[in-house]
Structures are given as structure tokens and as C-alpha cells.
Amino acid sequence: MKTHCYIERYATSDMLPTDIKALIPDATLRRRMSRFVRTGVATAMCCLDADSESGEAIDAIITATGFGCLTDSEKFLRNVIEQHEELLNPTPFIQSTFNTIGAQIALLRGYDCYNVTYAHRGLSFESALLDAAMQLDEGTARRILVGAADEQTPSQHRIMERMGCWRKHRDGEGAAFLLLQATPTREPSPCIEEIDFPETRLDDDTIRRRYAVEQILRCDTPQSECYPTAVARILTQAVAPAAGKQIRIAVCNNYMEAQPSVIVVSC
Amino acid sequence: MEQIIQQLKEQLIEALNLEEIKPEDIDPDAPLFGDGLGLDSIDALEIILILEKNYGIRLENTAEAKPHFYSVRTLAQYIVSQQDK
């Protein structure tokens, strides 16, 4: 799909301060959050806080996660087994849903706008991005917070190890959020120009020709951190301020060799 | 009584993940909900589980039990009264 989504701002979990109290000031919400939810929400807040000067509201919150809240899900399931399906703690159950991060962002900021979470394995972030792109292109939204987060837990790591996943890939986790706009507020602004799902993994030469790009960033190299929504963080690397002339970059994903995707960005 | 109060404080901190609070920070006579510790309805469910799992107290009528949930001390008194039965 061809599109024009301007990236106003972004934040990643690597940019978070050690103490996130300033980003999530509500102590009650904070104490119920697992490390994963805290990281995701704080990253979103970091992206939004940088935008506080403009004072403009956002029209949609679209989040993506491949695995969801694993820590809380594991805690809840362990509770079910240990307690013989009785006397279950409410907090891990409430927090284990896939849309916890999106919901907590809305609660913290008081946003009652469109709020959807995509959980489509390795294409979760691309699905969220497609939704945002369509809304911005159709004019149903002008400013959208799009982001992704995935965590790694010891049990999930062990299971994937037994499946042989870490023989070819490096494990990882992280969060990244982007504030997308239909029109740029400054020139030049990084712009997502295309989101595509080729049938097979394309080699670099084909990508350069087909998408007319000068640079390629891949999520599926042995050096890249491998988790379902790693592409969101790689996308922020593509738009990180770079001196020099404007270029087109292809961000390529192919999580666990299941379904390739290409996001074309000009910046 | 004092021993149950201390035990309850530790159980509340663990179950409700009150990570910035130490047992000595909790005033046993301060309200648990609203002011004081500022707990809410989800925390009330967690406290019901503490009573059931740790003290074998099953609440049949939550409306009647409401006054016992006022503070750590009233909760401890309720536990002692139920254990004496």
C-alpha cells in the first residue's frame, strides 16, 4: 500500500530513564504494571511527552504485540494450576490481555479515542501501521500514536530454544512508539511511503530495484534482536536524525521466516 | 493482635505490589481505601484472597464485611474474631 504518513516523533525503550515515575506518575497504575507493561507505556509516554509543546490531542492509539503480556499471562496460568482454578488474583488476569498497554496509555492521558491492538505474530506492527496509514490517508484521523512492544520471559525463551529458534536468531525484547501525522509540521519530515507484503523474502538487489531505495535495514539478520515486533524499533533507526541528503530506506522484516514485509521510508 | 497486624502489613505489600511502602509506613488505624493507602476495588478483591488463602476466612456477605475493611487494625480484629469461632 502506498501511503504518506509523516513521522513527527518517536521513542524507543532504549531511550527510557532508569526512573520512570515522571513518565507514569499514577502510583496505583504503576504498581500493577509488569516490567513489560511499564516499558511499553513509558515508551509511549516518552513519545507523547516530547509532543506536549504542541498541546494537540491524538485521534487514535494503535498498538501491536506478538506475544502480549507474557509475565502476567504466565502468572495467571500458574495461579490457575496452583489454586486448582479457585481464588484467582484479579490483577494478573486484568493485566494479561493483549491490549493492556493501549488501555493504560488511554487511562493515563484520559484519551477516549479509537484504541486498537493488533496481535498478528510477526506482522503485528505492520498491521497496526496499515491501520494508521489508512486512517491518515482517508482523513478519519490526523495524528496517531502507533507503537509496538514485546517481552521475553525465561519460560518463553526456553520453549523457543527447544524449538531451535535461537540457532539462527538472537533473542530480544523492546518497545517503540511513533507519532504519525497526515501532514508534516516541519520540513523535511521522515515519511512512510509504502507498506508491502511480498510473497517471498526478497534479496537486496530486488528490493533496491522494486522500491527504488538507497539503503536497506533488515530485522532478519543473525545480529538483529529477534522478537515479533522488532521491526518497529528498526524503523526508528531508519528515521533517526542523519545528516546529509534525503534518502529512501527499506525496512525489511521476516520474523521466523514466516511472512516478509517491507516498509519504505524517505528521510 | 500486633503480630497479625505486622503479618497483614507484609501480606498487603506483597499482594498489592506496594513497592515503595515499608510495613512501618502503614498506619494500622489509617483508612485502607480512599485516603490513607488509597486502595481501590481491585485491591479489595486481593484482600479477600489474602483472608481466604492465609486465614481460611471466606466472606459470605461482602456488604456486611465492609466495616472490617476500614483499616489494617479492623481487618486484624476481624481475623482474630473469626479464628476464635
Side-chain angles (χ1 to χ4, degrees), chain B residues 33-77:
Chain B
F33 299 89
D35 300 328
L37 269 187
L39 306 185
D40 59 21
S41 56
I42 299 172
D43 298 317
L45 287 171
E46 296 281 5
I47 296 174
I48 290 172
L49 289 179
I50 291 176
L51 294 181
E52 208 158 336
K53 280 184 195 170
N54 298 287
Y55 303 98
I57 299 169
R58 192 170 198 132
L59 294 180
E60 300 297 339
N61 187 333
T62 46
E64 273 178 23
K66 202 177 168 186
H68 306 305
F69 280 62
Y70 177 76
S71 66
V72 172
R73 191 178 302 280
T74 57
L75 262 180
Q77 285 165 347

Side-chain angles (χ1 to χ4, degrees), chain A residues 207-216 248-250 264-265:
Chain A
I207 286 174
R208 277 181 218 280
R209 272 199 315 275
R210 188 182 286 187
Y211 301 103
V213 295
E214 285 95 27
Q215 202 182 321
I216 298 168
R248 279 166 66 84
I249 303 172
V264 179
V265 199

Side-chain angles (χ1 to χ4, degrees), chain A residues 181-195:
Chain A
Q181 294 194 163
T183 49
T185 43
R186 61 179 185 280
E187 295 285 353
S189 257
C191 180
I192 297 169
E193 298 196 347
E194 189 168 353
I195 306 158

Side-chain angles (χ1 to χ4, degrees), chain A residues 92-167:
Chain A
F93 171 64
I94 295 166
Q95 299 286 79
S96 67
T97 52
F98 280 79
N99 61 348
T100 304
I101 291 178
Q104 296 289 329
I105 297 166
L107 279 173
L108 271 166
R109 287 294 175 115
Y111 290 141
D112 58 358
C113 55
Y114 180 94
N115 194 325
V116 165
T117 297
Y118 287 87
H120 294 177
R121 297 188 182 182
L123 291 181
S124 302
F125 179 69
E126 289 87 335
S127 306
L129 204 56
L130 263 184
D131 186 350
M134 285 191 279
Q135 293 205 44
L136 293 172
D137 284 356
E138 287 169 7
T140 49
R142 288 187 315 113
R143 286 157 64 79
I144 299 179
L145 180 72
V146 182
D150 267 300
E151 72 173 320
Q152 189 170 69
T153 64
S155 47
Q156 172 243 14
H157 185 272
R158 227 174 13 252
I159 290 165
M160 292 186 73
E161 189 168 41
R162 284 167 63 184
M163 289 163 66
C165 298
W166 308 135
R167 274 183 230 137

Side-chain angles (χ1 to χ4, degrees), chain A:
Chain A
M1 179 197 169
K2 301 272 185 197
T3 182
H4 274 96
C5 302
Y6 293 94
I7 301 169
E8 179 66 12
R9 296 180 192 283
Y10 68 85
T12 68
S13 43
D14 312 306
M15 294 157 65
L16 292 179
T18 325
D19 187 0
I20 55 142
K21 272 186 219 154
L23 292 167
I24 309 174
D26 188 319
T28 306
L29 287 182
R30 202 172 56 234
R31 73 177 156 87
R32 292 206 177 111
M33 292 177 183
S34 64
R35 184 181 59 90
F36 163 68
V37 177
R38 278 179 191 215
T39 304
V41 174
T43 307
M45 290 301 127
C46 195
C47 185
L48 287 172
D49 276 353
D51 182 55
S52 58
E53 305 148 20
S54 73
E56 269 193 75
I58 52 168
D59 304 314
I61 299 167
I62 308 176
T63 54
T65 177
F67 292 132
C69 306
L70 282 177
T71 303
D72 284 302
S73 301
E74 287 175 12
K75 206 184 280 181
F76 174 69
L77 291 173
R78 198 169 295 125
N79 211 217
V80 169
I81 296 165
E82 286 171 0
Q83 297 295 131
H84 306 289
E85 301 182 27
E86 285 185 352
L87 302 174
L88 305 176
N89 296 73
T91 311
F93 171 64
I94 295 166
Q95 299 286 79
S96 67
T97 52
F98 280 79
N99 61 348
T100 304
I101 291 178
Q104 296 289 329
I105 297 166
L107 279 173
L108 271 166
R109 287 294 175 115
Y111 290 141
D112 58 358
C113 55
Y114 180 94
N115 194 325
V116 165
T117 297
Y118 287 87
H120 294 177
R121 297 188 182 182
L123 291 181
S124 302
F125 179 69
E126 289 87 335
S127 306
L129 204 56
L130 263 184
D131 186 350
M134 285 191 279
Q135 293 205 44
L136 293 172
D137 284 356
E138 287 169 7
T140 49
R142 288 187 315 113
R143 286 157 64 79
I144 299 179
L145 180 72
V146 182
D150 267 300
E151 72 173 320
Q152 189 170 69
T153 64
S155 47
Q156 172 243 14
H157 185 272
R158 227 174 13 252
I159 290 165
M160 292 186 73
E161 189 168 41
R162 284 167 63 184
M163 289 163 66
C165 298
W166 308 135
R167 274 183 230 137
K168 280 199 270 179
H169 306 282
R170 209 184 114 206
D171 60 349
E173 60 178 8
F177 274 82
L178 302 104
L179 186 65
L180 302 181
Q181 294 194 163
T183 49
T185 43
R186 61 179 185 280
E187 295 285 353
S189 257
C191 180
I192 297 169
E193 298 196 347
E194 189 168 353
I195 306 158
D196 194 24
F197 301 92
E199 281 179 21
T200 53
R201 185 187 189 272
L202 305 175
D203 61 38
D204 286 5
D205 285 343
T206 313
I207 286 174
R208 277 181 218 280
R209 272 199 315 275
R210 188 182 286 187
Y211 301 103
V213 295
E214 285 95 27
Q215 202 182 321
I216 298 168
L217 288 176
R218 286 192 181 274
C219 307
D220 58 353
T221 63
Q223 297 78 34
S224 320
E225 277 192 45
C226 183
Y227 56 94
T229 55
V231 64
R233 214 160 64 170
I234 303 287
L235 179 62
T236 65
Q237 285 170 16
V239 300
K245 65 178 174 98
Q246 197 174 15
I247 57 163
R248 279 166 66 84
I249 303 172
V251 179
C252 303
N253 188 20
N254 189 18
Y255 179 71
M256 297 291 163
E257 288 93 40
Q259 167 64 62
S261 76
V262 178
I263 302 168
V264 179
V265 199
S266 67
C267 44

